[in-house]
mmCIF file of all heavy atoms in Angstrom:
data_model
loop_
_atom_site.group_PDB
_atom_site.id
_atom_site.type_symbol
_atom_site.label_atom_id
_atom_site.label_comp_id
_atom_site.label_asym_id
_atom_site.label_seq_id
_atom_site.Cartn_x
_atom_site.Cartn_y
_atom_site.Cartn_z
ATOM 1 N N MET T 402 32.785 -119.863 -102.432
ATOM 2 C CA MET T 402 33.148 -118.480 -102.132
ATOM 3 C C MET T 402 34.298 -118.042 -103.034
ATOM 4 O O MET T 402 35.267 -118.750 -103.214
ATOM 5 C CB MET T 402 33.554 -118.357 -100.667
ATOM 6 C CG MET T 402 33.945 -116.937 -100.254
ATOM 7 S SD MET T 402 34.570 -116.866 -98.566
ATOM 8 C CE MET T 402 33.066 -117.209 -97.649
ATOM 9 N N LYS T 403 34.184 -116.851 -103.582
ATOM 10 C CA LYS T 403 35.240 -116.309 -104.421
ATOM 11 C C LYS T 403 36.424 -115.846 -103.572
ATOM 12 O O LYS T 403 36.271 -115.480 -102.413
ATOM 13 C CB LYS T 403 34.714 -115.128 -105.238
ATOM 14 C CG LYS T 403 33.665 -115.501 -106.275
ATOM 15 C CD LYS T 403 33.234 -114.254 -107.038
ATOM 16 C CE LYS T 403 32.141 -114.586 -108.057
ATOM 17 N NZ LYS T 403 31.706 -113.371 -108.796
ATOM 18 N N LYS T 404 37.596 -115.865 -104.190
ATOM 19 C CA LYS T 404 38.801 -115.350 -103.541
ATOM 20 C C LYS T 404 39.439 -114.329 -104.463
ATOM 21 O O LYS T 404 39.380 -114.458 -105.688
ATOM 22 C CB LYS T 404 39.793 -116.489 -103.287
ATOM 23 C CG LYS T 404 39.340 -117.473 -102.221
ATOM 24 C CD LYS T 404 39.564 -116.907 -100.844
ATOM 25 C CE LYS T 404 39.209 -117.922 -99.765
ATOM 26 N NZ LYS T 404 39.626 -117.452 -98.415
ATOM 27 N N VAL T 405 40.045 -113.324 -103.873
ATOM 28 C CA VAL T 405 40.677 -112.287 -104.689
ATOM 29 C C VAL T 405 42.124 -112.098 -104.243
ATOM 30 O O VAL T 405 42.431 -112.125 -103.050
ATOM 31 C CB VAL T 405 39.878 -110.960 -104.612
ATOM 32 C CG1 VAL T 405 39.835 -110.421 -103.187
ATOM 33 C CG2 VAL T 405 40.436 -109.933 -105.571
ATOM 34 N N CYS T 406 43.008 -111.920 -105.225
ATOM 35 C CA CYS T 406 44.421 -111.690 -104.937
ATOM 36 C C CYS T 406 44.585 -110.303 -104.315
ATOM 37 O O CYS T 406 44.146 -109.312 -104.890
ATOM 38 C CB CYS T 406 45.222 -111.805 -106.232
ATOM 39 S SG CYS T 406 46.963 -111.428 -106.036
ATOM 40 N N SER T 407 45.231 -110.260 -103.151
ATOM 41 C CA SER T 407 45.376 -108.978 -102.457
ATOM 42 C C SER T 407 46.434 -108.100 -103.114
ATOM 43 O O SER T 407 46.556 -106.930 -102.786
ATOM 44 C CB SER T 407 45.731 -109.210 -100.988
ATOM 45 O OG SER T 407 46.982 -109.852 -100.879
ATOM 46 N N VAL T 408 47.207 -108.662 -104.033
ATOM 47 C CA VAL T 408 48.265 -107.892 -104.690
ATOM 48 C C VAL T 408 47.763 -107.250 -105.984
ATOM 49 O O VAL T 408 47.922 -106.060 -106.206
ATOM 50 C CB VAL T 408 49.484 -108.788 -104.978
ATOM 51 C CG1 VAL T 408 50.553 -108.028 -105.768
ATOM 52 C CG2 VAL T 408 50.058 -109.317 -103.666
ATOM 53 N N CYS T 409 47.124 -108.047 -106.841
ATOM 54 C CA CYS T 409 46.769 -107.523 -108.168
ATOM 55 C C CYS T 409 45.274 -107.492 -108.438
ATOM 56 O O CYS T 409 44.838 -106.929 -109.437
ATOM 57 C CB CYS T 409 47.478 -108.325 -109.261
ATOM 58 S SG CYS T 409 46.768 -109.968 -109.532
ATOM 59 N N GLY T 410 44.488 -108.135 -107.582
ATOM 60 C CA GLY T 410 43.050 -108.074 -107.757
ATOM 61 C C GLY T 410 42.455 -109.185 -108.616
ATOM 62 O O GLY T 410 41.245 -109.204 -108.847
ATOM 63 N N TRP T 411 43.279 -110.121 -109.073
ATOM 64 C CA TRP T 411 42.746 -111.251 -109.852
ATOM 65 C C TRP T 411 41.805 -112.064 -108.964
ATOM 66 O O TRP T 411 42.075 -112.289 -107.788
ATOM 67 C CB TRP T 411 43.899 -112.127 -110.357
ATOM 68 C CG TRP T 411 43.442 -113.256 -111.229
ATOM 69 C CD1 TRP T 411 43.157 -113.212 -112.561
ATOM 70 C CD2 TRP T 411 43.221 -114.623 -110.829
ATOM 71 N NE1 TRP T 411 42.777 -114.459 -113.006
ATOM 72 C CE2 TRP T 411 42.801 -115.339 -111.979
ATOM 73 C CE3 TRP T 411 43.334 -115.305 -109.611
ATOM 74 C CZ2 TRP T 411 42.498 -116.711 -111.944
ATOM 75 C CZ3 TRP T 411 43.032 -116.661 -109.570
ATOM 76 C CH2 TRP T 411 42.621 -117.352 -110.726
ATOM 77 N N GLU T 412 40.682 -112.476 -109.536
ATOM 78 C CA GLU T 412 39.656 -113.144 -108.751
ATOM 79 C C GLU T 412 39.516 -114.603 -109.157
ATOM 80 O O GLU T 412 39.507 -114.919 -110.349
ATOM 81 C CB GLU T 412 38.330 -112.413 -108.959
ATOM 82 C CG GLU T 412 37.225 -112.864 -108.022
ATOM 83 C CD GLU T 412 35.989 -111.984 -108.180
ATOM 84 O OE1 GLU T 412 35.172 -112.248 -109.075
ATOM 85 O OE2 GLU T 412 35.856 -111.014 -107.408
ATOM 86 N N TYR T 413 39.400 -115.459 -108.165
ATOM 87 C CA TYR T 413 39.120 -116.869 -108.434
ATOM 88 C C TYR T 413 37.669 -117.154 -108.085
ATOM 89 O O TYR T 413 37.239 -116.973 -106.943
ATOM 90 C CB TYR T 413 40.023 -117.793 -107.599
ATOM 91 C CG TYR T 413 39.684 -119.253 -107.861
ATOM 92 C CD1 TYR T 413 40.074 -119.856 -109.052
ATOM 93 C CD2 TYR T 413 38.933 -119.995 -106.968
ATOM 94 C CE1 TYR T 413 39.729 -121.170 -109.331
ATOM 95 C CE2 TYR T 413 38.583 -121.316 -107.232
ATOM 96 C CZ TYR T 413 38.987 -121.893 -108.423
ATOM 97 O OH TYR T 413 38.644 -123.190 -108.701
ATOM 98 N N ASP T 414 36.926 -117.613 -109.104
ATOM 99 C CA ASP T 414 35.525 -117.974 -108.908
ATOM 100 C C ASP T 414 35.409 -119.496 -109.045
ATOM 101 O O ASP T 414 35.651 -120.044 -110.126
ATOM 102 C CB ASP T 414 34.667 -117.282 -109.970
ATOM 103 C CG ASP T 414 33.180 -117.566 -109.799
ATOM 104 O OD1 ASP T 414 32.820 -118.496 -109.050
ATOM 105 O OD2 ASP T 414 32.370 -116.849 -110.425
ATOM 106 N N PRO T 415 35.046 -120.201 -107.966
ATOM 107 C CA PRO T 415 34.983 -121.674 -108.006
ATOM 108 C C PRO T 415 34.030 -122.201 -109.077
ATOM 109 O O PRO T 415 34.244 -123.284 -109.605
ATOM 110 C CB PRO T 415 34.478 -122.048 -106.610
ATOM 111 C CG PRO T 415 34.770 -120.873 -105.755
ATOM 112 C CD PRO T 415 34.714 -119.666 -106.643
ATOM 113 N N GLU T 416 33.007 -121.431 -109.402
ATOM 114 C CA GLU T 416 32.054 -121.890 -110.420
ATOM 115 C C GLU T 416 32.688 -121.896 -111.808
ATOM 116 O O GLU T 416 32.266 -122.633 -112.695
ATOM 117 C CB GLU T 416 30.810 -120.995 -110.425
ATOM 118 C CG GLU T 416 29.992 -121.119 -109.147
ATOM 119 C CD GLU T 416 28.743 -120.246 -109.200
ATOM 120 O OE1 GLU T 416 28.445 -119.669 -110.259
ATOM 121 O OE2 GLU T 416 28.075 -120.143 -108.153
ATOM 122 N N VAL T 417 33.675 -121.052 -112.000
ATOM 123 C CA VAL T 417 34.342 -120.920 -113.297
ATOM 124 C C VAL T 417 35.631 -121.745 -113.341
ATOM 125 O O VAL T 417 36.006 -122.289 -114.375
ATOM 126 C CB VAL T 417 34.656 -119.433 -113.582
ATOM 127 C CG1 VAL T 417 35.416 -119.278 -114.894
ATOM 128 C CG2 VAL T 417 33.360 -118.630 -113.635
ATOM 129 N N GLY T 418 36.286 -121.855 -112.182
ATOM 130 C CA GLY T 418 37.590 -122.512 -112.153
ATOM 131 C C GLY T 418 38.634 -121.677 -112.856
ATOM 132 O O GLY T 418 38.486 -120.462 -113.012
ATOM 133 N N TYR T 419 39.690 -122.325 -113.283
ATOM 134 C CA TYR T 419 40.738 -121.629 -114.026
ATOM 135 C C TYR T 419 41.292 -122.635 -115.032
ATOM 136 O O TYR T 419 42.296 -123.303 -114.783
ATOM 137 C CB TYR T 419 41.822 -121.111 -113.077
ATOM 138 C CG TYR T 419 42.986 -120.482 -113.790
ATOM 139 C CD1 TYR T 419 42.790 -119.403 -114.646
ATOM 140 C CD2 TYR T 419 44.273 -120.962 -113.614
ATOM 141 C CE1 TYR T 419 43.858 -118.836 -115.328
ATOM 142 C CE2 TYR T 419 45.348 -120.398 -114.279
ATOM 143 C CZ TYR T 419 45.124 -119.333 -115.141
ATOM 144 O OH TYR T 419 46.184 -118.777 -115.812
ATOM 145 N N GLU T 420 40.574 -122.731 -116.149
ATOM 146 C CA GLU T 420 40.867 -123.814 -117.089
ATOM 147 C C GLU T 420 42.246 -123.680 -117.734
ATOM 148 O O GLU T 420 42.884 -124.683 -118.043
ATOM 149 C CB GLU T 420 39.765 -123.891 -118.148
ATOM 150 C CG GLU T 420 38.429 -124.300 -117.510
ATOM 151 C CD GLU T 420 37.413 -124.775 -118.543
ATOM 152 O OE1 GLU T 420 37.574 -125.901 -119.005
ATOM 153 O OE2 GLU T 420 36.488 -124.018 -118.865
ATOM 154 N N GLU T 421 42.708 -122.435 -117.918
ATOM 155 C CA GLU T 421 44.043 -122.246 -118.485
ATOM 156 C C GLU T 421 45.116 -122.870 -117.590
ATOM 157 O O GLU T 421 46.179 -123.253 -118.045
ATOM 158 C CB GLU T 421 44.339 -120.747 -118.663
ATOM 159 C CG GLU T 421 43.409 -120.061 -119.651
ATOM 160 C CD GLU T 421 42.191 -119.445 -118.977
ATOM 161 O OE1 GLU T 421 41.766 -119.962 -117.932
ATOM 162 O OE2 GLU T 421 41.677 -118.452 -119.517
ATOM 163 N N GLY T 422 44.801 -122.934 -116.300
ATOM 164 C CA GLY T 422 45.752 -123.507 -115.353
ATOM 165 C C GLY T 422 45.406 -124.927 -114.956
ATOM 166 O O GLY T 422 45.976 -125.464 -114.009
ATOM 167 N N GLY T 423 44.453 -125.527 -115.656
ATOM 168 C CA GLY T 423 44.105 -126.914 -115.375
ATOM 169 C C GLY T 423 43.156 -127.095 -114.213
ATOM 170 O O GLY T 423 43.018 -128.205 -113.690
ATOM 171 N N ILE T 424 42.519 -126.006 -113.771
ATOM 172 C CA ILE T 424 41.572 -126.084 -112.666
ATOM 173 C C ILE T 424 40.156 -126.129 -113.235
ATOM 174 O O ILE T 424 39.698 -125.169 -113.852
ATOM 175 C CB ILE T 424 41.708 -124.874 -111.722
ATOM 176 C CG1 ILE T 424 43.178 -124.671 -111.285
ATOM 177 C CG2 ILE T 424 40.794 -125.036 -110.522
ATOM 178 C CD1 ILE T 424 43.760 -125.809 -110.480
ATOM 179 N N ALA T 425 39.461 -127.225 -113.034
ATOM 180 C CA ALA T 425 38.142 -127.428 -113.625
ATOM 181 C C ALA T 425 37.089 -126.570 -112.932
ATOM 182 O O ALA T 425 37.202 -126.283 -111.736
ATOM 183 C CB ALA T 425 37.749 -128.895 -113.515
ATOM 184 N N PRO T 426 36.062 -126.163 -113.679
ATOM 185 C CA PRO T 426 34.936 -125.463 -113.045
ATOM 186 C C PRO T 426 34.356 -126.298 -111.911
ATOM 187 O O PRO T 426 34.270 -127.525 -112.023
ATOM 188 C CB PRO T 426 33.918 -125.315 -114.189
ATOM 189 C CG PRO T 426 34.738 -125.361 -115.436
ATOM 190 C CD PRO T 426 35.880 -126.306 -115.130
ATOM 191 N N GLY T 427 33.993 -125.636 -110.825
ATOM 192 C CA GLY T 427 33.438 -126.344 -109.677
ATOM 193 C C GLY T 427 34.472 -126.735 -108.636
ATOM 194 O O GLY T 427 34.139 -127.381 -107.652
ATOM 195 N N THR T 428 35.729 -126.331 -108.837
ATOM 196 C CA THR T 428 36.789 -126.652 -107.886
ATOM 197 C C THR T 428 36.828 -125.600 -106.776
ATOM 198 O O THR T 428 37.058 -124.424 -107.034
ATOM 199 C CB THR T 428 38.164 -126.700 -108.590
ATOM 200 O OG1 THR T 428 38.114 -127.641 -109.663
ATOM 201 C CG2 THR T 428 39.253 -127.102 -107.609
ATOM 202 N N ALA T 429 36.574 -126.045 -105.557
ATOM 203 C CA ALA T 429 36.596 -125.122 -104.424
ATOM 204 C C ALA T 429 38.019 -124.626 -104.172
ATOM 205 O O ALA T 429 39.002 -125.312 -104.462
ATOM 206 C CB ALA T 429 36.077 -125.816 -103.165
ATOM 207 N N TRP T 430 38.118 -123.428 -103.620
ATOM 208 C CA TRP T 430 39.428 -122.846 -103.301
ATOM 209 C C TRP T 430 40.254 -123.791 -102.438
ATOM 210 O O TRP T 430 41.448 -123.979 -102.645
ATOM 211 C CB TRP T 430 39.212 -121.510 -102.585
ATOM 212 C CG TRP T 430 40.484 -120.858 -102.140
ATOM 213 C CD1 TRP T 430 40.982 -120.783 -100.874
ATOM 214 C CD2 TRP T 430 41.427 -120.177 -102.978
ATOM 215 N NE1 TRP T 430 42.176 -120.115 -100.882
ATOM 216 C CE2 TRP T 430 42.468 -119.727 -102.146
ATOM 217 C CE3 TRP T 430 41.476 -119.909 -104.347
ATOM 218 C CZ2 TRP T 430 43.561 -119.024 -102.649
ATOM 219 C CZ3 TRP T 430 42.573 -119.205 -104.846
ATOM 220 C CH2 TRP T 430 43.595 -118.780 -104.002
ATOM 221 N N GLU T 431 39.599 -124.420 -101.482
ATOM 222 C CA GLU T 431 40.288 -125.320 -100.560
ATOM 223 C C GLU T 431 40.887 -126.526 -101.286
ATOM 224 O O GLU T 431 41.819 -127.165 -100.779
ATOM 225 C CB GLU T 431 39.329 -125.804 -99.476
ATOM 226 C CG GLU T 431 38.873 -124.724 -98.497
ATOM 227 C CD GLU T 431 37.869 -123.731 -99.106
ATOM 228 O OE1 GLU T 431 37.244 -124.070 -100.138
ATOM 229 O OE2 GLU T 431 37.718 -122.628 -98.560
ATOM 230 N N ASP T 432 40.335 -126.842 -102.455
ATOM 231 C CA ASP T 432 40.799 -128.017 -103.192
ATOM 232 C C ASP T 432 41.884 -127.694 -104.218
ATOM 233 O O ASP T 432 42.403 -128.589 -104.875
ATOM 234 C CB ASP T 432 39.611 -128.687 -103.897
ATOM 235 C CG ASP T 432 38.629 -129.278 -102.892
ATOM 236 O OD1 ASP T 432 39.069 -129.643 -101.780
ATOM 237 O OD2 ASP T 432 37.435 -129.360 -103.211
ATOM 238 N N LEU T 433 42.220 -126.415 -104.353
ATOM 239 C CA LEU T 433 43.326 -126.072 -105.236
ATOM 240 C C LEU T 433 44.626 -126.579 -104.617
ATOM 241 O O LEU T 433 44.736 -126.669 -103.400
ATOM 242 C CB LEU T 433 43.419 -124.545 -105.412
ATOM 243 C CG LEU T 433 42.267 -123.873 -106.153
ATOM 244 C CD1 LEU T 433 42.526 -122.377 -106.249
ATOM 245 C CD2 LEU T 433 42.070 -124.460 -107.537
ATOM 246 N N PRO T 434 45.600 -126.923 -105.457
ATOM 247 C CA PRO T 434 46.878 -127.392 -104.908
ATOM 248 C C PRO T 434 47.538 -126.319 -104.055
ATOM 249 O O PRO T 434 47.375 -125.125 -104.300
ATOM 250 C CB PRO T 434 47.715 -127.710 -106.158
ATOM 251 C CG PRO T 434 47.019 -127.050 -107.295
ATOM 252 C CD PRO T 434 45.570 -126.915 -106.927
ATOM 253 N N ASP T 435 48.315 -126.769 -103.060
ATOM 254 C CA ASP T 435 48.974 -125.824 -102.163
ATOM 255 C C ASP T 435 49.953 -124.922 -102.905
ATOM 256 O O ASP T 435 50.266 -123.831 -102.432
ATOM 257 C CB ASP T 435 49.719 -126.579 -101.055
ATOM 258 C CG ASP T 435 48.750 -127.204 -100.055
ATOM 259 O OD1 ASP T 435 47.592 -126.733 -99.977
ATOM 260 O OD2 ASP T 435 49.148 -128.146 -99.364
ATOM 261 N N ASP T 436 50.432 -125.373 -104.061
ATOM 262 C CA ASP T 436 51.398 -124.564 -104.802
ATOM 263 C C ASP T 436 50.730 -123.703 -105.876
ATOM 264 O O ASP T 436 51.410 -123.162 -106.744
ATOM 265 C CB ASP T 436 52.480 -125.448 -105.427
ATOM 266 C CG ASP T 436 51.905 -126.462 -106.421
ATOM 267 O OD1 ASP T 436 50.665 -126.542 -106.549
ATOM 268 O OD2 ASP T 436 52.698 -127.165 -107.065
ATOM 269 N N PHE T 437 49.403 -123.585 -105.810
ATOM 270 C CA PHE T 437 48.707 -122.694 -106.735
ATOM 271 C C PHE T 437 49.236 -121.278 -106.558
ATOM 272 O O PHE T 437 49.448 -120.812 -105.437
ATOM 273 C CB PHE T 437 47.197 -122.720 -106.450
ATOM 274 C CG PHE T 437 46.405 -121.773 -107.322
ATOM 275 C CD1 PHE T 437 45.992 -122.151 -108.590
ATOM 276 C CD2 PHE T 437 46.071 -120.504 -106.866
ATOM 277 C CE1 PHE T 437 45.267 -121.273 -109.395
ATOM 278 C CE2 PHE T 437 45.344 -119.631 -107.667
ATOM 279 C CZ PHE T 437 44.938 -120.017 -108.920
ATOM 280 N N VAL T 438 49.472 -120.607 -107.686
ATOM 281 C CA VAL T 438 49.904 -119.209 -107.625
ATOM 282 C C VAL T 438 48.996 -118.352 -108.489
ATOM 283 O O VAL T 438 48.384 -118.826 -109.451
ATOM 284 C CB VAL T 438 51.371 -119.024 -108.074
ATOM 285 C CG1 VAL T 438 52.308 -119.734 -107.116
ATOM 286 C CG2 VAL T 438 51.575 -119.492 -109.510
ATOM 287 N N CYS T 439 48.913 -117.088 -108.174
ATOM 288 C CA CYS T 439 48.117 -116.144 -108.943
ATOM 289 C C CYS T 439 48.612 -116.107 -110.393
ATOM 290 O O CYS T 439 49.812 -115.927 -110.629
ATOM 291 C CB CYS T 439 48.226 -114.759 -108.303
ATOM 292 S SG CYS T 439 47.365 -113.483 -109.255
ATOM 293 N N PRO T 440 47.723 -116.281 -111.353
ATOM 294 C CA PRO T 440 48.128 -116.286 -112.764
ATOM 295 C C PRO T 440 48.702 -114.959 -113.228
ATOM 296 O O PRO T 440 49.448 -114.918 -114.203
ATOM 297 C CB PRO T 440 46.831 -116.581 -113.522
ATOM 298 C CG PRO T 440 45.900 -117.146 -112.512
ATOM 299 C CD PRO T 440 46.295 -116.560 -111.189
ATOM 300 N N LEU T 441 48.359 -113.893 -112.579
ATOM 301 C CA LEU T 441 48.820 -112.576 -113.024
ATOM 302 C C LEU T 441 50.123 -112.152 -112.355
ATOM 303 O O LEU T 441 51.027 -111.662 -113.004
ATOM 304 C CB LEU T 441 47.744 -111.516 -112.758
ATOM 305 C CG LEU T 441 46.481 -111.593 -113.620
ATOM 306 C CD1 LEU T 441 45.613 -110.370 -113.358
ATOM 307 C CD2 LEU T 441 46.811 -111.692 -115.102
ATOM 308 N N CYS T 442 50.208 -112.335 -111.048
ATOM 309 C CA CYS T 442 51.374 -111.788 -110.344
ATOM 310 C C CYS T 442 52.211 -112.837 -109.632
ATOM 311 O O CYS T 442 53.297 -112.513 -109.139
ATOM 312 C CB CYS T 442 50.947 -110.686 -109.377
ATOM 313 S SG CYS T 442 50.021 -111.282 -107.963
ATOM 314 N N GLY T 443 51.726 -114.074 -109.551
ATOM 315 C CA GLY T 443 52.570 -115.160 -109.085
ATOM 316 C C GLY T 443 52.664 -115.362 -107.581
ATOM 317 O O GLY T 443 53.475 -116.171 -107.125
ATOM 318 N N VAL T 444 51.836 -114.666 -106.808
ATOM 319 C CA VAL T 444 51.888 -114.892 -105.360
ATOM 320 C C VAL T 444 51.096 -116.154 -104.990
ATOM 321 O O VAL T 444 50.251 -116.621 -105.743
ATOM 322 C CB VAL T 444 51.353 -113.681 -104.567
ATOM 323 C CG1 VAL T 444 52.199 -112.445 -104.828
ATOM 324 C CG2 VAL T 444 49.888 -113.410 -104.879
ATOM 325 N N GLY T 445 51.387 -116.688 -103.819
ATOM 326 C CA GLY T 445 50.770 -117.927 -103.387
ATOM 327 C C GLY T 445 49.390 -117.738 -102.785
ATOM 328 O O GLY T 445 48.885 -116.616 -102.645
ATOM 329 N N LYS T 446 48.780 -118.866 -102.400
ATOM 330 C CA LYS T 446 47.416 -118.858 -101.898
ATOM 331 C C LYS T 446 47.247 -118.008 -100.640
ATOM 332 O O LYS T 446 46.165 -117.501 -100.368
ATOM 333 C CB LYS T 446 46.958 -120.285 -101.596
ATOM 334 C CG LYS T 446 46.719 -121.134 -102.839
ATOM 335 C CD LYS T 446 46.301 -122.558 -102.483
ATOM 336 C CE LYS T 446 44.860 -122.631 -101.986
ATOM 337 N NZ LYS T 446 44.441 -124.028 -101.737
ATOM 338 N N ASP T 447 48.315 -117.886 -99.852
ATOM 339 C CA ASP T 447 48.200 -117.151 -98.592
ATOM 340 C C ASP T 447 48.018 -115.644 -98.809
ATOM 341 O O ASP T 447 47.717 -114.907 -97.867
ATOM 342 C CB ASP T 447 49.404 -117.422 -97.697
ATOM 343 C CG ASP T 447 50.737 -117.066 -98.359
ATOM 344 O OD1 ASP T 447 50.787 -116.980 -99.599
ATOM 345 O OD2 ASP T 447 51.718 -116.884 -97.617
ATOM 346 N N MET T 448 48.220 -115.212 -100.063
ATOM 347 C CA MET T 448 48.046 -113.786 -100.346
ATOM 348 C C MET T 448 46.637 -113.472 -100.872
ATOM 349 O O MET T 448 46.342 -112.332 -101.228
ATOM 350 C CB MET T 448 49.073 -113.319 -101.376
ATOM 351 C CG MET T 448 50.516 -113.338 -100.845
ATOM 352 S SD MET T 448 50.751 -112.249 -99.425
ATOM 353 C CE MET T 448 50.672 -110.648 -100.246
ATOM 354 N N PHE T 449 45.776 -114.480 -100.920
ATOM 355 C CA PHE T 449 44.406 -114.275 -101.364
ATOM 356 C C PHE T 449 43.502 -114.057 -100.154
ATOM 357 O O PHE T 449 43.749 -114.588 -99.071
ATOM 358 C CB PHE T 449 43.913 -115.483 -102.158
ATOM 359 C CG PHE T 449 44.410 -115.520 -103.579
ATOM 360 C CD1 PHE T 449 45.732 -115.846 -103.863
ATOM 361 C CD2 PHE T 449 43.551 -115.214 -104.633
ATOM 362 C CE1 PHE T 449 46.192 -115.871 -105.191
ATOM 363 C CE2 PHE T 449 43.999 -115.247 -105.948
ATOM 364 C CZ PHE T 449 45.325 -115.569 -106.220
ATOM 365 N N GLU T 450 42.449 -113.271 -100.370
ATOM 366 C CA GLU T 450 41.488 -113.046 -99.309
ATOM 367 C C GLU T 450 40.071 -113.233 -99.849
ATOM 368 O O GLU T 450 39.862 -113.304 -101.058
ATOM 369 C CB GLU T 450 41.675 -111.662 -98.707
ATOM 370 C CG GLU T 450 41.736 -110.548 -99.727
ATOM 371 C CD GLU T 450 42.328 -109.265 -99.148
ATOM 372 O OE1 GLU T 450 43.175 -109.333 -98.227
ATOM 373 O OE2 GLU T 450 41.945 -108.194 -99.625
ATOM 374 N N ASP T 451 39.111 -113.306 -98.938
ATOM 375 C CA ASP T 451 37.730 -113.495 -99.353
ATOM 376 C C ASP T 451 37.257 -112.325 -100.209
ATOM 377 O O ASP T 451 37.514 -111.167 -99.883
ATOM 378 C CB ASP T 451 36.816 -113.605 -98.128
ATOM 379 C CG ASP T 451 37.126 -114.853 -97.314
ATOM 380 O OD1 ASP T 451 37.784 -115.772 -97.845
ATOM 381 O OD2 ASP T 451 36.674 -114.920 -96.155
ATOM 382 N N ALA T 452 36.589 -112.647 -101.306
ATOM 383 C CA ALA T 452 36.119 -111.587 -102.215
ATOM 384 C C ALA T 452 34.756 -111.078 -101.761
ATOM 385 O O ALA T 452 34.056 -111.738 -101.029
ATOM 386 C CB ALA T 452 36.032 -112.109 -103.638
HETATM 387 ZN ZN1 LIG L 1770 47.783 -111.556 -108.176
#
């Protein structure tokens, strides 16, 4: 399931991952580190919602 940042709209797609941040394609949102932050605005995981 995709997640979207409620502040800036950046979207995390598990199929794509976030390679610039060291997150491999296929990494589920639940498996991201607890200290993951939005690449654009820097908020934490608790500010993301279901896309
Ligand atoms: Zn953001």
Side-chain angles (χ1 to χ4, degrees):
M402 180 186 291
K403 294 181 182 179
K404 291 282 184 171
V405 62
C406 176
S407 63
V408 175
C409 74
W411 183 83
E412 190 174 85
Y413 178 75
D414 182 346
E416 293 182 7
V417 177
Y419 175 58
E420 294 196 76
E421 297 92 331
I424 309 297
T428 304
W430 177 255
E431 292 73 20
D432 293 332
L433 293 181
D435 288 339
D436 61 355
F437 177 84
V438 295
C439 176
L441 290 188
C442 70
V444 298
K446 289 178 74 176
D447 57 340
M448 292 299 288
F449 281 74
E450 50 197 30
D451 295 343

